[in-house]
Amino acid sequence: MTAATTTSDLDEAYSGYLAHLADADEYAATDLAISLLDAGVPAERVLLDLVAPAQAEVGERWARNEWSVAQEHAATHISEQVVAAVSAHARPQPINGRVVVACMDGEWHALPPRLVAEVLRLRGWQVTFLGASVPAAHLVSYLHRHDAHAVALACALPMRLPYAHRMIEACRRSDVPVVVGGRGFGTDGRWARRLGVAWAPDAPSAAELIADERALRAAPPARLAHLADDEYASLVRRRGELIDSALAQLRERVPAARAYTAAQLDATVSDLGHIVDFLAAAVYVDDPSLFTEFVQWLSGILGSRGVPAGAVVLPLEHYAATLRDFPRAARALALGCAALPGTAR
């Protein structure tokens, strides 16, 4: 089968696959993927040119409030089953060493690293996929029992970067090289470089990097000397206090907040906590753009759900007033407010 024919088949299959996800039709989605394999489309292309972009579209539909959380979860489950079926159909035989693939502790977006794991498997590696939210101690324990050529760690949310750094260092103390990926490290990998770890933008790049042990071990040194001033640690210690005081101010300034349902209250507390967590991560890597990008994303998400953009400004101003003696946090908060639409401010 020619490359052009393969591309045409995948293009035609994509809309059908998305329709099966929308209908929560697991069998139809699986049959479509297997039919592509039977037609000669390589398994790696089915994974990367069909399943991966479809899953990205699922996320976008949730962000635009076109799909509910339940629909997004159903679609993700189906794609996980499709990945398993494609892998079982291909049945590659390992000819290389072991690579351990896992999500960071607290990270639950397991499909992207699963795709990486299967691409590595298709390229001849013996892969152990540990799944979502793997505690660092459990990962290190596994590495002590099993000889590994490399560890591939995924992070979708930048707020998990401090935990990611601790996990990376734990692997290194076991003398196992690490490659990381996922949006949590920045679309260009800038926060991976700040943590001093090899980064791959996609599954094929990860496979190529893992195959080159010299490049894998040639990561730049971490640039985290600023953590010596304790601002990050102090901010983390005050997390609960910040959320409580922001909620109290919200109820005082916005009377409607006093009548929130339990679900609305839980969502509000979650958002307030996410603001603090992303702020702390920005302080950890000393890059306020991490926080401003999150604030813009949050404003867009809330806007798609009918929440005025101004709702983001109030907690930002409260945190800025409370954290005025935290220079890096205060700068990030100021830039975050400035990044919001003028109508919100």
Side-chain angles (χ1 to χ4, degrees):
M1 175 176 287
T2 65
T5 303
T6 301
T7 300
S8 175
D9 287 347
L10 284 165
D11 288 344
E12 292 178 7
Y14 179 74
S15 59
Y17 186 77
L18 271 177
H20 297 325
L21 294 183
D23 293 337
D25 193 335
E26 178 180 330
Y27 295 135
T30 303
D31 287 346
L32 189 154
I34 298 302
S35 71
L36 289 171
L37 297 176
D38 291 339
V41 180
E44 183 170 319
R45 294 210 58 188
V46 173
L47 295 176
L48 299 182
D49 297 337
L50 179 71
V51 178
Q55 188 62 24
E57 175 60 22
V58 167
E60 289 299 320
R61 291 183 181 188
W62 171 83
R64 296 192 298 264
N65 203 29
E66 296 173 7
W67 279 19
S68 67
V69 171
Q71 287 175 294
E72 185 269 336
H73 283 189
T76 300
H77 167 76
I78 291 171
S79 285
E80 288 171 344
Q81 297 302 106
V82 169
V83 171
V86 170
S87 178
H89 190 278
R91 299 187 69 83
Q93 296 301 311
I95 56 175
N96 300 316
R98 183 189 303 274
V99 177
V100 178
V101 181
C103 291
M104 303 293 178
D105 191 3
E107 178 64 68
W108 297 97
H109 296 79
L111 183 55
R114 175 70 188 278
L115 290 169
V116 172
E118 296 310 326
V119 168
L120 290 170
R121 210 186 308 273
L122 289 167
R123 296 194 180 195
W125 292 96
Q126 180 181 355
V127 178
T128 301
F129 179 60
L130 298 182
S133 190
V134 180
H138 292 194
L139 174 59
V140 170
S141 176
Y142 185 89
L143 295 177
H144 285 165
R145 293 196 304 271
H146 302 277
D147 185 35
H149 172 81
V151 173
L153 297 176
C155 180
L157 299 174
M159 72 177 184
R160 307 302 302 177
L161 286 174
Y163 302 92
H165 186 223
R166 290 195 281 274
M167 205 161 182
I168 291 162
E169 292 304 309
C171 292
R172 285 176 169 164
R173 286 193 292 272
S174 300
D175 195 32
V176 181
V178 181
V179 60
V180 299
R183 293 184 179 182
F185 292 99
T187 54
D188 58 357
R190 60 190 182 275
W191 300 317
R193 290 189 292 275
R194 184 59 60 93
L195 298 182
V197 63
W199 171 79
D202 50 41
S205 299
E208 292 168 9
L209 184 57
I210 287 170
D212 186 347
E213 187 169 2
R214 177 179 295 181
L216 187 60
R217 291 184 178 272
R223 292 177 289 150
L224 299 171
H226 58 278
L227 293 177
D229 67 10
D230 204 40
E231 181 173 339
Y232 166 77
S234 298
L235 178 55
V236 171
R237 284 195 296 269
R238 296 185 62 178
R239 182 181 188 275
E241 167 198 334
L242 288 166
I243 295 171
D244 289 345
S245 61
L247 182 61
Q249 187 195 61
L250 180 66
R251 284 171 161 167
E252 177 183 342
R253 298 273 297 275
V254 182
R258 301 170 198 164
Y260 276 179
T261 65
Q264 289 174 315
L265 183 60
D266 285 346
T268 301
V269 170
S270 178
D271 288 340
L272 293 174
H274 283 150
I275 292 172
V276 176
D277 293 339
F278 274 87
L279 178 62
V283 170
Y284 193 91
V285 297
D286 195 21
D287 185 353
S289 72
L290 186 158
F291 185 69
T292 56
E293 290 175 10
F294 163 72
V295 166
Q296 291 172 320
W297 175 85
L298 179 62
S299 176
I301 291 293
L302 294 177
S304 70
R305 287 150 177 78
V307 179
V312 181
V313 175
L314 189 59
L316 295 189
E317 291 178 340
H318 172 75
Y319 289 151
T322 307
L323 298 171
R324 56 185 176 274
D325 295 329
F326 290 60
R328 285 196 299 280
R331 179 168 177 256
L333 286 160
L335 292 172
C337 281
L340 290 169
T343 53
R345 301 192 302 275

